[in-house]
Amino acid sequence: LVATPGRLLALCGHGDDEAAEGETCTAVCSLASLQMWVLDECDRLLDLGFTPSVNAIAGLIRPPDDPHEPHTVLASATWPAALHPLAERLLRPGAVRLTVGGQDLSVARSVTQVLEA
């Protein structure tokens, strides 16, 4: 299953804030038996204000102190300090961290993208 945070919450029946007035969200999937979840571009999810949604999803995936919690993968081209608290909440203690390049990676400001139709 691949979904944006808001859409995933809606599919799990927790997206009432996105439902039209007078409608409710009906759960069409459950994350109770999830074995692995991957947050790609997790630095951008933070930048765009999705931390509350990610925390809500984490609560649906694993109850506190669940010994059978799924594997969690956070992927990011950068690892800003603002991402560290989220990682501490989502990852197991002693989680493996794989760094390619250096610890102080940041978005290159000198790159210009041009899209042509």
Side-chain angles (χ1 to χ4, degrees):
L1 174 65
V2 177
T4 61
R7 183 65 62 208
L8 183 56
L9 285 171
L11 290 171
C12 293
H14 294 272
D16 289 333
D17 56 324
E18 294 183 7
E21 188 174 333
E23 294 180 1
T24 59
C25 288
T26 302
V28 295
C29 72
S30 169
L31 304 179
S33 61
L34 191 72
Q35 295 179 3
M36 175 183 277
W37 69 307
V38 177
L39 287 171
D40 191 19
E41 299 292 346
C42 55
D43 58 331
R44 294 296 297 146
L45 288 173
L46 264 180
D47 289 345
L48 296 172
F50 286 104
T51 303
S53 295
V54 170
N55 288 331
I57 292 166
L60 296 174
I61 291 174
R62 57 177 181 179
D65 303 323
D66 182 351
H68 303 291
E69 64 184 334
H71 295 285
T72 302
V73 177
L74 303 179
S76 176
T78 63
W79 197 256
L83 188 57
H84 299 182
L86 177 66
E88 288 176 17
R89 281 194 306 277
L90 298 179
L91 299 174
R92 296 176 185 170
V96 174
R97 179 175 175 178
L98 174 64
T99 302
V100 177
Q103 298 282 30
D104 299 323
L105 296 176
S106 62
V107 176
R109 303 289 180 209
S110 62
V111 175
T112 303
Q113 294 183 9
V114 179
L115 301 176
E116 297 182 19

